[in-house]
Amino acid sequence: MNRLVSLSCGSLKSDQLDVLRSNGIKTVADFISCDVESLAQKTSIPAKEISSIQSIVIAQLAAFPLNGKDYYNGLMTRFSIFSTGCKNMYFKAVFVDKEVLIYYSRRQRQTLLTEVKFFSLDELLDGGLYTGDVTEIVGAAGTGKSQICMNITLSTSMEAKKYVIYIDTGGSFCGERIKQLLEGCKASLDDEEIHKILSRISVIQAFDIFSMLEALESVRQRLVSEIEDEKTLQLRLVIVDCLAAVVSPVLGGQQIHGHSLMVNLSRILKSLAVEHSLAVVITNNVVADSSWSSPFSTKPALGPTWGHVPSTRVFIQTQTEGSETNRIATITKSSRQKLHLSRAFCIDHGGVRSQAKLTSE
């Protein structure tokens, strides 16, 4: 709960705040839950005045109910679906009216996606990356998690013309690779357009959990303060690659605060997604899974507590056929799609490309 300060309680004078703090009233929760008569006797502040200030504080900080129409209209003004940038052997920007996706039935929507030739991973994700959701990409090292993230970053900046924050925890973000992806686009881009695309991408390197928390909190504070600059107003995507690299070292052993740090990290990510209508994408590593009920030999790292954080989880595996390495993306958690839907894709000079139709295991 917030500390009791004059900013949150404008009716309290500085000397009254000092008296309250000396009597153990240090937070807003302490103040609004205290007994008025008892506090009045200890602080010499009139009981009527304390009761009046309590009412003001509750009115300032309480959540106000919204009717369904207002909530829906507010949601739709911030709602977006972003492409992963995965190509169906060609590069083509796809935009579908969000109203269409909402009002069509499930079967009609699937038909619509087929007719407009959605990118393969977008089809797997029921249209793409949704604002308000935390999407987790899970896989072993070398399965293409960072390649997918860079594809998503470039697609969001170039096609949607929105700002992206890419938090890199292992040095995986490669400027040369972004240049290759730009060259792979079948579009003539002049230097000015390339500069605009790249200027919408901000890369933050965070090699420990404390740097990660600081970076995410700075983003959240910018959004809360409603700074009137284009970079803040047009920010729609936050990517964390890779989360396990900074969380795993503080879990277990003598790291008694590791779990609380992970929970705090999950709270900030959820806040960015839900409260500020951002699409949040995180990558995670895998550990061995000995469970007989699992279709995979590995499972996401960070344990069951973290499993409740992502809204959607995509599991990446590799398959080697001769000299070629193919990758399979499988939905293992989703509120929109049937589980265990899969899509084969490959990664080449031009980016991520699909290889097969949507299948169900």
Side-chain angles (χ1 to χ4, degrees):
M1 178 57 74
N2 297 334
R3 293 178 57 203
L4 192 65
V5 294
S6 58
L7 184 63
S8 59
C9 309
S11 301
L12 283 173
K13 299 176 183 178
S14 58
D15 58 332
Q16 292 176 326
L17 285 171
D18 293 336
V19 172
L20 289 173
R21 292 191 186 110
S22 66
N23 284 273
I25 309 298
K26 298 180 180 180
T27 68
V28 174
D30 294 336
F31 181 66
I32 62 178
S33 62
C34 69
D35 180 72
V36 174
E37 295 296 336
S38 175
L39 186 62
Q41 292 177 3
K42 293 179 180 179
T43 62
S44 300
I45 302 175
K48 187 175 181 180
E49 184 176 349
I50 293 175
S51 180
S52 175
I53 296 172
Q54 282 182 336
S55 300
I56 293 172
V57 172
I58 291 172
Q60 288 176 340
L61 301 180
F64 292 96
L66 290 175
N67 63 50
K69 181 181 178 182
D70 292 340
Y71 178 78
Y72 172 80
N73 290 336
L75 182 65
M76 292 308 300
T77 58
R78 304 186 302 270
F79 179 76
S80 301
I81 305 174
F82 297 108
S83 170
T84 60
C86 178
K87 310 176 185 67
N88 271 333
M89 299 307 178
Y90 57 86
F91 192 89
K92 179 181 178 182
V94 177
F95 295 94
V96 176
D97 190 349
K98 53 180 175 275
E99 299 287 342
V100 173
L101 288 176
I102 288 174
Y103 287 116
Y104 271 65
S105 67
R106 170 72 59 172
R107 180 172 295 181
Q108 289 172 320
R109 188 191 298 188
Q110 192 62 44
T111 301
L112 176 66
L113 296 183
T114 303
E115 288 174 352
V116 299
K117 299 185 184 299
F118 255 71
F119 297 141
S120 63
L121 291 185
D122 293 342
E123 189 178 352
L124 188 68
L125 294 169
D126 198 27
L129 301 166
Y130 287 65
T131 53
D133 281 4
V134 177
T135 302
E136 183 181 54
I137 302 172
V138 181
T143 53
K145 302 187 298 296
S146 297
Q147 294 291 331
I148 294 173
C149 287
M150 285 186 279
N151 244 59
I152 294 170
T153 298
L154 188 58
S155 175
T156 303
S157 175
M158 183 168 66
E159 301 300 327
K161 294 179 173 54
K162 299 298 181 181
Y163 281 77
V164 181
I165 290 180
Y166 193 115
I167 301 179
D168 182 13
T169 67
S172 299
F173 186 88
C174 178
E176 189 64 28
R177 179 57 175 159
I178 294 293
K179 180 182 178 182
Q180 286 182 351
L181 295 176
L182 279 170
E183 292 173 349
C185 299
K186 294 182 179 178
S188 56
L189 300 173
D190 57 33
D191 291 341
E192 184 178 355
E193 289 174 317
I194 292 175
H195 176 74
K196 288 181 179 179
I197 292 169
L198 297 179
S199 66
R200 287 191 283 265
I201 303 171
S202 298
V203 181
I204 301 173
Q205 290 188 322
F207 299 126
D208 58 70
I209 194 168
F210 302 104
S211 300
M212 170 76 72
L213 289 169
E214 182 181 359
L216 290 172
E217 185 61 26
S218 67
V219 173
R220 194 183 70 84
Q221 287 297 331
R222 277 171 45 197
L223 294 167
V224 168
S225 61
E226 298 181 350
I227 299 175
E228 296 293 330
D229 69 320
E230 185 182 13
K231 189 174 183 179
T232 302
L233 295 175
Q234 296 299 318
L235 177 63
R236 287 296 180 273
L237 176 66
V238 173
I239 293 177
V240 179
D241 179 30
C242 158
L243 195 72
V246 296
V247 176
S248 294
V250 300
L251 294 178
Q254 300 299 316
Q255 306 290 339
I256 58 176
H257 300 300
H259 187 269
S260 62
L261 289 171
M262 184 180 71
V263 171
N264 188 32
L265 180 60
S266 69
R267 180 187 60 82
I268 297 176
L269 290 172
K270 279 286 191 181
S271 173
L272 290 173
V274 177
E275 296 178 15
H276 301 287
S277 297
L278 301 183
V280 176
V281 178
I282 57 179
T283 65
N284 194 1
N285 294 334
V286 294
V287 294
D289 185 7
S290 58
S291 173
W292 63 269
S293 60
S294 174
F296 306 104
S297 60
T298 56
K299 62 183 178 181
L302 306 183
T305 301
W306 183 261
H308 299 286
V309 177
S311 313
T312 302
R313 174 174 282 158
V314 181
F315 206 103
I316 308 295
Q317 294 176 295
T318 58
Q319 291 182 345
T320 303
E321 298 179 1
S323 61
E324 293 186 358
T325 300
N326 298 325
R327 294 166 171 84
I328 307 294
T330 305
I331 291 286
T332 59
K333 181 181 179 182
S334 176
S335 59
R336 298 187 178 90
Q337 286 283 56
K338 179 182 176 182
L339 299 187
H340 303 302
L341 290 174
S342 298
R343 171 67 81 176
F345 68 95
C346 65
I347 299 173
D348 59 17
H349 180 85
V352 182
R353 302 178 185 274
S354 66
Q355 287 188 309
K357 293 184 179 180
L358 197 67
T359 59
S360 177
E361 294 182 351

